Amino acid sequence: MKQRLFILLCIGICLLFSSKSGSARPEGPASDSTSPDIRLNQIGFYPSQHKLAVVEKRASGSFCVINHRTEDTILTGTLSNPTPDIYSGKMNAIADFSTLNKPGAYYLYVPSLGNSAVFSISDKVYQALGKGVLKAYYFLRCSAPLSPGFAGKWARAEGHPDTVVYVHSSAASVRRPTGTVISSPGGWYDAGDYNKYIVNSGITLGTLLSAYEDFTGYFDTLSTHIPESNNRLPDILDEALWNLRWMLTMQDPNDGGVYHKLTDSAFDKMEMPDQDHPRRFVVMKSTAATLDFAAVMAQSARIFRSFTRQLPGLSDSCLQAANSAWQWAVAHPDVLYDQQQMNQRFTPVITTGAYGDRHVKDEKYWAAVELFITTGDRKYQQSLRLILPQTFTLPSWGQVGTLGDYTLLRFRKKLKGDKTLLARIQKRLIMSANRLLDHPDAAYQTVMGGTAHDFIWGSNAVAANQGILMIQAYLLTRDKKYLKAARGNLDYLLGRNATGYCFVTGFGSKSPMHPHHRPSVADGIKEPVPGLLVGGPNAGQQDHCPTYPSRIADESYTDDDRAYACNEIAINWNAPMVYLVNALEALSL
């Protein structure tokens, strides 16, 4: 009886709160009345989507959903019994408002805490976000100015033309001795720094091109307002081309090997790109870089076959480059990039990101898959069978084998003659997806955070790649539980997490303002470059930044530009975000 009276009292408070006096209406997304203890997706939800908020501080009783425009109470509900966060022990209750499906702008009110962030319900609720995270690559372009017409207040001068790049002594060959000058313009700045890395470009382009192949019709009409828009080529491919053409310059035409990276000798100051004038080098060829290159070029050759009128000869050039890279890698199977060892033998010393990988079997598998699907050549099918990974591993720059699995499943009709191989790949993918579903983060009801190992350097990319896995499982089975899980991980990235942050710059009511990203630090503009996914909670805290609020795994995040271990941005983290957000938009149509 006492519990019923308490709930009725809470509902009464909600109804009183919803009077149109205007006194309780938030002042906008950054309102001081927004409670940090109500965590939810700050962008919004599809009408039919499962809709949850996590309420901390042992809140109990009822909650209500308020129309942001009219201040009317639209829905009342009862909070769940509290569940402890497995990392912090803090008690969290769930507010489930899934029955609300009318489009509009709303916020939650919890009598003991206050208001949540404002969120939307809409049929195309992630459309702007999907465009924003893709357009982020425009802001990362090297060797080009960003004009106000496309970049707005983040316009900037051209940096790093890279038309004069020196062959480092580690990369010297008979036909390209030390100090040889090559031209290698274009590409994207890799992360918070101004260097360009083939290994990280590999997984990035592979993920973006896979998004296009999985949802071609959707991306064919998606415009992100970049200089190439309306050129009869989808914007996602225009953006991919900016990096693809740079990658082509990184292949030695004399033997097919691919340089590991184009880099300064050391990381740059926190200054704008046009103020940075170091000598730039291409550094030694490596097997990992060459195989990543081969995979991307084979996939690109396949895709750009459909655009021979717009890009005559590109598909053929990509395939030729892929075959040449494969041949070099087969002849040099263990040229592994070890920066410390390299610096003991060659000068100048290079101290930028290493992307060193001690195991390249997964890169060879991915390259063999892409070459087989593009060419149909059985020698590549035989190779991929010999090096088929035994287990499923979530994609990362050092683990790309699963990109090959996704491609084989995407083109499974080409494996009709090899049903055993196809069944094996399907089984391990579904088993991996189910394993995540079986061990979710109970406090936040997401598959992200089901294990402490999720909170590594780049944990937000883990969440996004888990979402892609769920979408792949959905595409195979059409079981909506996987789609629900993918949306849940997006909820995590957009605010339903232990930090309360929407982790994409420029989106949501509480998003990073100080990412470790040189232009965002140096441009003098209060707001950071938009559309960038920061790394996210990282229990390792390798940067030793003094502003971390906690060492607890799911809270180990600080919005500080010194905190590169949790607040840097990177092209390989944005790519799965591009896939996840836009895939959900495509599947909602």
Side-chain angles (χ1 to χ4, degrees):
M1 177 66 73
K2 288 182 180 179
Q3 184 179 10
R4 287 183 60 195
L5 288 173
F6 179 75
I7 292 172
L8 288 172
L9 176 62
C10 289
I11 292 173
I13 293 172
C14 285
L15 293 172
L16 177 64
F17 175 82
S18 68
S19 66
K20 297 185 181 181
S21 64
S23 60
R25 180 170 178 162
E27 296 299 322
S31 168
D32 290 339
S33 66
T34 299
S35 170
D37 299 313
I38 306 174
R39 280 82 183 273
L40 82 172
N41 179 332
Q42 296 163 23
I43 304 299
F45 308 89
Y46 298 117
S48 61
Q49 182 177 346
H50 204 52
K51 306 174 187 73
L52 302 179
V54 174
V55 181
E56 289 193 1
K57 289 191 173 178
R58 296 179 179 269
S60 59
S62 71
F63 67 91
C64 47
V65 182
I66 310 297
N67 185 296
H68 181 52
R69 182 178 62 84
T70 67
E71 296 292 348
D72 290 332
T73 297
I74 304 301
L75 179 149
T76 60
T78 303
L79 295 172
S80 71
N81 292 326
T83 301
D85 183 298
I86 60 175
Y87 305 106
S88 68
K90 295 176 181 177
M91 302 302 289
N92 296 321
I94 299 293
D96 188 334
F97 50 103
S98 301
T99 57
L100 178 61
N101 55 24
K102 183 178 180 181
Y106 305 92
Y107 59 90
L108 266 65
Y109 173 68
V110 179
S112 59
L113 297 178
N115 306 339
S116 76
V118 176
F119 61 88
S120 296
I121 294 178
S122 169
D123 289 329
K124 296 183 178 180
V125 71
Y126 302 134
Q127 185 178 72
L129 177 64
K131 292 180 179 181
V133 293
L134 177 55
K135 186 168 180 175
Y137 287 96
Y138 170 71
F139 292 105
L140 298 175
R141 288 185 183 186
C142 180
S143 313
L146 305 186
S147 69
F150 298 100
K153 61 185 174 183
W154 296 282
R156 58 170 170 80
E158 175 186 353
H160 305 97
D162 285 342
T163 51
V164 177
V165 177
Y166 299 92
V167 173
H168 187 259
S169 55
S170 65
S173 63
V174 173
R175 302 182 72 173
R176 282 187 169 182
T178 299
T180 299
V181 173
I182 67 170
S183 181
S184 188
W188 301 310
Y189 295 126
D190 178 74
D193 60 292
Y194 291 139
N195 304 305
K196 300 183 289 191
Y197 306 84
I198 287 292
V199 167
N200 214 32
S201 284
I203 186 173
T204 301
L205 269 183
T207 303
L208 293 176
L209 295 175
S210 294
Y212 180 76
E213 288 193 305
D214 282 338
F215 303 101
T216 303
Y218 169 85
F219 280 108
D220 278 345
T221 60
L222 186 72
S223 176
T224 56
H225 188 57
I226 56 176
E228 298 82 4
S229 294
N230 304 315
N231 68 349
R232 297 182 300 147
L233 199 69
D235 280 8
I236 190 172
L237 297 187
D238 278 318
E239 200 56 70
L241 272 172
W242 191 265
N243 204 66
L244 183 73
R245 284 175 166 143
W246 164 70
M247 290 180 73
L248 284 166
T249 71
M250 292 289 284
Q251 184 175 43
D252 185 341
N254 301 303
D255 62 13
V258 178
Y259 301 115
H260 195 77
K261 59 180 174 176
L262 189 161
T263 182
D264 305 351
S265 60
F267 284 117
D268 320 286
K269 300 176 182 177
M270 286 292 184
E271 58 191 1
M272 292 300 288
D274 63 302
Q275 300 300 310
D276 185 58
H277 304 291
R279 284 165 60 93
R280 309 258 282 179
F281 302 91
V282 289
V283 179
M284 67 172 280
K285 300 164 191 170
S286 73
T287 306
T290 303
L291 287 169
D292 283 333
F293 175 96
V296 166
M297 290 303 157
Q299 189 176 17
S300 297
R302 183 168 70 239
I303 290 171
F304 287 111
R305 281 174 184 164
S306 300
F307 299 95
T308 53
R309 181 173 297 179
Q310 295 93 325
L311 299 164
L314 178 64
S315 176
D316 292 340
S317 294
C318 288
L319 186 56
Q320 182 178 352
N323 280 313
S324 181
W326 174 266
Q327 291 167 13
W328 186 93
V330 169
H332 303 83
D334 55 1
V335 181
L336 306 180
Y337 188 81
D338 184 328
Q339 191 156 278
Q340 183 176 5
Q341 185 181 80
M342 182 187 76
N343 285 334
Q344 294 173 359
R345 300 176 56 202
F346 301 103
T347 58
V349 168
I350 303 294
T351 59
T352 54
Y355 289 106
D357 192 344
R358 307 299 301 172
H359 306 282
V360 296
K361 187 176 178 181
D362 53 305
E363 282 84 4
K364 188 174 184 181
Y365 171 71
W366 180 32
V369 168
E370 300 297 347
L371 280 160
F372 166 61
I373 295 300
T374 299
T375 67
D377 191 326
R378 295 298 170 182
K379 73 178 181 184
Y380 296 119
Q381 186 178 18
Q382 292 169 1
S383 293
L384 72 89
R385 284 190 60 84
L386 291 173
I387 52 177
L388 180 71
Q390 298 301 306
T391 59
F392 177 94
T393 304
L394 206 66
S396 66
W397 64 260
Q399 292 286 345
V400 293
T402 295
L403 297 181
D405 285 356
Y406 290 164
T407 293
L408 288 177
L409 293 175
R410 184 178 303 124
F411 295 98
R412 52 190 173 273
K413 290 183 179 179
K414 293 193 175 186
L415 288 176
K416 281 185 176 180
D418 200 341
K419 294 183 179 179
T420 302
L421 174 63
L422 182 59
R424 183 176 173 182
I425 295 170
Q426 288 176 323
K427 181 180 178 180
R428 73 180 181 195
L429 187 146
I430 297 301
M431 286 180 63
S432 298
N434 288 342
R435 194 176 299 117
L436 288 176
L437 289 177
D438 290 342
H439 301 284
D441 183 335
Y444 286 88
Q445 297 196 12
T446 59
V447 297
M448 174 61 186
T451 170
H453 295 297
D454 287 349
F455 298 106
I456 59 172
W457 199 320
S459 64
N460 284 340
V462 172
N465 274 304
Q466 288 175 344
I468 293 176
L469 169 60
M470 293 299 162
I471 288 172
Q472 292 292 324
Y474 171 75
L475 294 175
L476 274 176
T477 66
R478 295 296 166 174
D479 189 328
K480 291 187 177 180
K481 69 181 181 184
Y482 299 116
L483 197 58
K484 179 182 175 182
R487 289 172 175 166
N489 265 29
L490 185 57
D491 288 343
Y492 168 90
L493 291 165
L494 301 181
R496 199 174 91 211
N497 59 66
T499 74
Y501 274 91
C502 170
F503 287 118
V504 182
T505 58
F507 288 86
S509 59
K510 182 185 178 183
S511 62
M513 293 295 291
H514 308 285
H516 183 85
H517 174 237
R518 279 161 176 74
S520 293
V521 172
D523 62 9
I525 299 168
K526 179 181 178 181
E527 297 84 4
V529 169
L532 299 171
L533 181 71
V534 299
N538 174 10
Q541 299 185 7
Q542 293 89 343
D543 48 53
H544 306 294
C545 184
T547 59
Y548 281 96
S550 171
R551 295 204 69 89
I552 296 169
D554 61 350
E555 298 177 357
S556 188
Y557 171 79
T558 181
D559 183 19
D560 189 319
D561 58 58
R562 297 170 295 175
Y564 53 83
C566 75
N567 212 32
E568 190 170 13
I569 62 91
I571 57 174
N572 64 309
W573 299 340
N574 250 66
M577 190 67 172
V578 169
Y579 186 113
L580 177 60
V581 176
N582 287 289
L584 291 175
E585 273 290 287
L587 292 168
S588 74
L589 298 178

